[in-house]
Amino acid sequence: MGRRRGGREESIEAEIDTGTARLEPVPGEPDSWILYVNAVPSSPITASDPQRLDFEYLDWMGRVIDASFPAGQALRAAHIGAAACALPRWLDARRPGSRQTAIDIDARLLELVREWFELPRAPALRLRPGDGAHEITTFRPASLDLVVRDAFAGDATPGTLAGDAFFGASAAALRPSGLLLANVADRPPHRALRAEIARLRAVFAHVALVADPGQVRGRRWGNVVAVASAGPIDTLGTAKALRRGPAVATVLSGAQLDRYLGIAD
């Protein structure tokens, strides 16, 4: 894990298929790292604690998962956008016996992630190179509990992962109680985010949004988590779980989400 000279961790930089990956040590924390992909922070990793999720949106995702499924239940999950597999590591430690597939467009990045980090081995976690828009169509209908979309080209979600075809394929692969969690990054006035939520609502019966209150008010750029399911989403349980977290977040659904989308007074 990293190179040491005189007891000091140093960053590692490597060429990957889509550009450059850089592994940067967290100052003062000898086993914590941030993976940057093409200069964009993509994954936090603490080698000694897989249940530590230092990015606030990852913490939110973890709390949504825990509020939505019985404690300890093993899940079948597909991750579109693998990076350093922070959430798959968390899920494997939190819910032993889970089976996961992490998909990334960059095959070389997946090789490096296996080399750099102690990731669960197949069948607990399979790493699959490929285009997530295609790969999601290869899962059997109603075979997944969880689809996590956390893939970017630069700081934007590729259009093929934010359209009707991808959301439809995700819905088909999910069980009735399954969840789609989508990491969305957008700037005020959040037109892309609103458009993506509207597309999700056209496919899924239930959609909610988890975000920092300042983002909801359109005051700043940042990551938000869209939650979608064929079945009801436990928004009250999710809100309680989020209140116990380190980063403030609010949950929008129903009429609140209508108002945010501008389709209700």
Side-chain angles (χ1 to χ4, degrees):
M1 174 67 75
R3 297 190 180 99
R4 292 174 180 266
R5 290 182 182 175
R8 181 170 63 89
E9 298 85 359
E10 294 189 348
S11 62
I12 302 172
E13 190 165 299
E15 295 302 310
I16 55 177
D17 295 337
T18 58
T20 304
R22 188 175 83 255
L23 193 59
E24 196 72 31
V26 176
E29 299 194 36
D31 67 344
S32 292
W33 304 77
I34 302 294
L35 173 68
Y36 292 78
V37 177
N38 297 321
V40 177
S42 299
S43 286
I45 289 289
T46 297
S48 62
D49 186 2
Q51 295 194 56
R52 176 174 161 180
L53 296 172
D54 285 342
F55 288 1
E56 62 182 26
Y57 82 86
L58 286 174
D59 179 77
W60 296 343
M61 284 184 171
R63 293 176 188 279
V64 171
I65 292 168
D66 277 350
S68 303
F69 300 98
Q73 177 184 328
L75 302 178
R76 178 72 178 99
H79 303 261
I80 309 300
C85 294
L87 195 64
R89 288 179 79 241
W90 175 90
L91 193 63
D92 182 76
R94 188 84 166 176
R95 296 171 177 270
S98 294
R99 291 187 302 117
Q100 305 181 75
T101 304
I103 298 161
D104 203 284
I105 195 73
D106 197 306
R108 178 55 181 156
L109 178 61
L110 292 179
E111 293 174 357
L112 290 172
V113 166
R114 276 287 188 208
E115 175 186 330
W116 288 340
F117 305 117
E118 294 182 4
L119 300 180
R121 292 288 174 178
L125 175 61
R126 299 182 187 275
L127 301 186
R128 182 191 299 177
D131 182 346
H134 167 72
E135 295 298 331
I136 192 61
T137 68
T138 67
F139 291 92
R140 290 184 295 104
S143 63
L144 299 176
D145 299 297
L146 186 65
V147 174
V148 178
R149 192 209 67 194
D150 190 9
F152 291 88
D155 63 356
T157 302
T160 56
L161 298 179
D164 296 339
F166 175 77
F167 293 143
S170 297
L174 285 165
R175 297 181 173 120
S177 61
L179 291 182
L180 169 66
L181 301 180
N183 177 19
V184 186
D186 196 18
R187 293 174 173 80
H190 301 308
R191 293 189 183 93
L193 172 60
R194 287 180 168 88
E196 190 162 333
I197 295 170
R199 286 193 292 273
L200 280 169
R201 293 180 111 194
V203 175
F204 291 89
H206 302 273
V207 177
L209 183 70
V210 177
D212 179 284
Q215 293 167 285
V216 173
R217 291 190 290 270
R219 294 177 180 172
R220 71 180 184 92
W221 176 91
N223 298 84
V224 303
V225 175
V227 185
S229 179
I233 297 168
D234 184 0
T235 54
L236 290 178
T238 297
K240 290 179 181 178
L242 290 167
R243 285 197 291 271
R244 296 192 291 268
V248 174
T250 189
V251 182
L252 298 183
S253 64
Q256 285 183 312
L257 190 54
D258 285 343
R259 286 192 290 273
Y260 176 73
L261 292 170
I263 60 176
D265 295 332

